[in-house]
Amino acid sequence: DSFVSTTNQASNEKVALAQQISQNFNATMDGFMSSWESRNRSQDIMSQKQSDATLGYERIYDTETGEIYKATNGFTDVYDGKRYKAVTDDNMYAEPISGYIEKQ
């Protein structure tokens, strides 16, 4: 009985240790994934800005609807209305656009 009891106790301790190691590993991997996803979002925003600059666009948003558009560079220089404003929050670059606005 003593041998069986000691063996069961040792086995239970090893199982508990394995569970703790697994939990620590999962927490570490969750941290890695969170960092990766944040990096991806930052990289996506930088890529969108670079693409807009290369293609000759600036991002604007409709103050009434919140929709985001790509407009020809210089749009905000000649637009004197209040409805469309230049995007100032980098997170808006990660949002889909609703269309394009070309200078007339």
Side-chain angles (χ1 to χ4, degrees), residues 5 8 18 20 28 34 38 40 44 54 67 76 83 93 95:
S5 176
N8 283 340
Q20 183 62 42
T28 301
S34 177
S38 294
N40 278 344
D44 289 347
T54 301
E67 292 178 311
T76 55
R83 182 171 180 172
Y93 281 90
E95 300 298 321

Side-chain angles (χ1 to χ4, degrees), residues 40-103:
N40 278 344
R41 183 170 175 83
S42 297
Q43 186 65 36
D44 289 347
I45 289 168
M46 289 187 328
S47 294
Q48 288 297 324
K49 286 179 155 185
Q50 180 66 37
S51 173
D52 286 356
T54 301
L55 297 173
Y57 290 107
E58 62 181 295
R59 299 266 171 134
I60 61 167
Y61 70 99
D62 185 331
T63 59
E64 293 178 13
T65 66
E67 292 178 311
I68 300 168
Y69 296 92
K70 282 187 180 183
T72 307
N73 266 345
F75 175 84
T76 55
D77 295 335
V78 297
Y79 178 73
D80 61 357
K82 297 189 186 314
R83 182 171 180 172
Y84 298 103
K85 302 281 184 188
V87 166
T88 56
D89 180 1
D90 281 353
N91 289 317
M92 295 174 96
Y93 281 90
E95 300 298 321
I97 63 166
S98 297
Y100 293 84
I101 298 176
E102 302 290 332
K103 282 194 278 189

